[in-house]
Amino acid sequence: MVVVGGGIVGLAVAWELTRRGLDVTVLEKESRWAAHQTGHNSNVVHAGLYYKPGSFKARMSVAGNRSIVDFARQYGVPVEVCGKLVVATHERELPALTTLAERAEANGVPAKQISPAEAREYEPEVACVAALRVESTGIIDFPAVCHALVRLLDEAGVDLRLNSPAVAIRAGSTGGVEVATGDEVVQADALVNCAGLHSDRVARLAGLTPSAKIVPFRGEYYELKPEKRHLVKGLIYPVPDPTLPFLGVHLTRMLDGSVHAGPNAVLALRREGYRWGDFSAKDVAEVATFPGIWRLARKYAFPTGLDEVRRSFSKKRFAASLARLVPAVTADDIVRHGSGVRAQAMRRDGSLVDDFLIETARDQVHVLNAPSPAATSALEIARHIADQVASDS
């Protein structure tokens, strides 16, 4: 087997295939593992309450919440199951909060609706008219999970190759696949594409016409200054807009005691565009000529998209979003921390792919949409893919 992509999903797939007795080669284009989505996310172990009952995301995140925590504890990766609050800050958000509580129950997520006074027992500085307490949410070091997986794979004799981009893929002359990396050609019985931000491009290299295109969205983070960390005890989330795939700006206490705030969501000008100055003419042209982005823009550009861009440039606006949750937070209390880029799959009609998207062809499995909660669900996604490989062999 050859796995393209050395983030948490690719490494988890490689580990699951190895555990089932297959010989695996992992190809990662960067010089280090977990270089992009895995290394730039919020390090939250999601509980699974947001997702449509019965969907891949719902099933895999609920199971993944347990399996990734068990893995971390078994292999010495820092993890803490601390729970979180989802808070309604206005009466108009109460129906959505109730719907979220019902969805949590349907998905088997331990959660209960609580009063403002009960919410302040968890978060003394929070402002809300009601809240949902979710017990199984946690915080973890996902890059450290990857390092543990790399160590296990290395000990198992897996062929781990950094600086090895997949530049061409074709069917082998006697079956299977051949993957050119620039330096050599890797031959395998089958390919699993876990290339994240480039997963649709790898699929096209392999001759597949994917049903969706990756559109990169950058999420920018701030951090509370050390003297203001006491304002947040754990994790505080807003009630999300059900029409959007993003959870909204939230506050997260990390394992080291720091408190991250964010992310917002703006269109990135490069697939790995962590700053406004990161620009790729090729990537921008691909997005600009894709019908889906214009249909999405007509639906969300005003006011939602414009508000996100304004918040990207305005520390004051960003702080105001945080103050909805914790009124004591001001612009003077936050400093920029960094950004991540979400590989969001979009269809030609402008709809955002809501669930994990996995497509197959002969001797190929392509993971074409695996944003959050994919890190939480990585071991479950890996089991699903390994089952697919076993059924096809």
Side-chain angles (χ1 to χ4, degrees):
M1 301 294 300
V2 59
V3 177
V4 177
I8 192 169
V9 174
L11 293 171
V13 168
W15 174 234
E16 184 63 29
L17 294 173
T18 300
R19 283 162 35 112
R20 299 192 187 197
L22 297 173
D23 293 327
V24 180
T25 297
V26 182
L27 304 178
E28 166 55 48
K29 73 182 181 67
E30 302 292 356
S31 59
R32 68 186 194 280
W33 307 105
H36 292 295
Q37 289 188 106
T38 307
H40 292 83
N41 71 31
S42 60
N43 283 321
V44 173
V45 180
H46 289 285
L49 76 155
Y50 297 106
Y51 315 115
K52 182 180 178 181
S55 64
F56 277 134
K57 281 188 176 182
R59 291 184 285 112
M60 290 184 179
S61 61
V62 172
N65 178 279
R66 295 187 292 266
S67 61
I68 203 73
V69 170
D70 289 345
F71 180 93
R73 290 172 174 166
Q74 181 176 356
Y75 293 105
V77 174
V79 65
E80 179 185 345
V81 180
C82 55
K84 79 173 182 182
L85 290 181
V86 181
V87 300
T89 59
H90 193 280
E91 298 284 343
R92 64 175 173 269
E93 295 177 330
L94 290 176
L97 187 71
T98 299
T99 299
L100 206 58
E102 293 169 350
R103 181 160 284 190
E105 183 177 5
N107 289 342
V109 175
K112 64 177 181 177
Q113 204 160 334
I114 60 177
S115 69
E118 290 171 313
R120 284 191 290 272
E121 291 178 9
Y122 294 102
E123 295 288 349
E125 299 291 336
V126 78
C128 65
V129 296
L132 190 67
R133 174 65 182 175
V134 186
E135 295 296 340
S136 56
T137 300
I139 49 177
I140 196 171
D141 187 338
F142 280 126
V145 172
C146 291
H147 297 153
L149 285 167
V150 168
R151 183 174 68 252
L152 291 168
L153 291 166
D154 188 51
E155 290 171 354
V158 171
D159 188 0
L160 298 167
R161 304 190 188 188
L162 295 169
N163 301 303
S164 299
V167 298
I169 302 171
R170 68 182 183 187
S173 57
T174 58
V177 294
E178 296 178 350
V179 182
T181 66
D183 295 329
E184 58 185 310
V185 175
V186 178
Q187 297 180 327
D189 294 317
L191 171 144
V192 182
N193 166 18
C194 302
L197 285 157
H198 298 276
S199 57
D200 58 335
R201 290 174 173 172
V202 171
R204 288 196 294 271
L205 280 179
L208 191 75
T209 301
S211 62
K213 176 181 284 293
I214 294 298
V215 177
F217 285 89
R218 183 173 64 256
E220 297 158 329
Y221 289 88
Y222 279 81
E223 182 178 9
L224 290 189
K225 292 179 179 179
E227 63 269 24
K228 295 295 182 177
R229 291 175 180 173
H230 68 276
L231 295 175
V232 178
K233 305 299 182 185
L235 283 68
I236 307 173
Y237 280 61
V239 176
D241 183 339
T243 67
L244 298 173
F246 312 110
L247 299 181
V249 170
H250 48 270
L251 291 150
T252 306
R253 177 172 287 276
M254 309 305 290
L255 289 162
D256 63 1
S258 63
V259 178
H260 291 182
N264 67 337
V266 295
L267 186 67
L269 303 181
R270 182 181 173 190
R271 292 229 179 174
E272 291 150 5
Y274 298 104
R275 298 172 300 274
W276 278 107
D278 292 339
F279 176 84
S280 164
K282 174 186 175 183
D283 292 353
V284 170
E286 270 195 17
V287 172
T289 57
F290 181 56
I293 195 66
W294 298 104
R295 291 170 179 143
L296 183 79
R298 283 196 293 270
K299 188 174 182 181
Y300 292 116
F302 303 100
T304 302
L306 182 59
D307 286 344
E308 293 288 333
V309 172
R310 286 173 172 169
R311 188 164 56 196
S312 174
F313 286 102
S314 171
K315 184 179 179 181
K316 183 178 179 180
R317 285 180 177 271
F318 206 107
S321 296
L322 301 174
R324 290 182 59 243
L325 310 175
V326 177
V329 174
T330 71
D332 291 334
D333 299 331
I334 60 175
V335 293
R336 284 197 178 271
H337 178 72
S339 300
V341 180
R342 176 190 179 105
Q344 177 62 55
M346 183 184 299
R347 302 190 191 278
R348 289 182 63 85
D349 65 2
S351 62
L352 301 177
V353 179
D354 185 50
D355 205 357
F356 297 145
L357 177 62
I358 300 172
E359 297 185 355
T360 61
R362 182 178 178 182
D363 301 325
Q364 300 174 25
V365 179
H366 298 270
V367 182
L368 296 174
N369 191 55
S372 179
T376 297
S377 310
L379 298 174
E380 305 307 315
I381 295 172
R383 292 188 180 105
H384 175 78
I385 288 173
D387 288 344
Q388 281 191 307
V389 170
S391 66
D392 292 341
S393 62

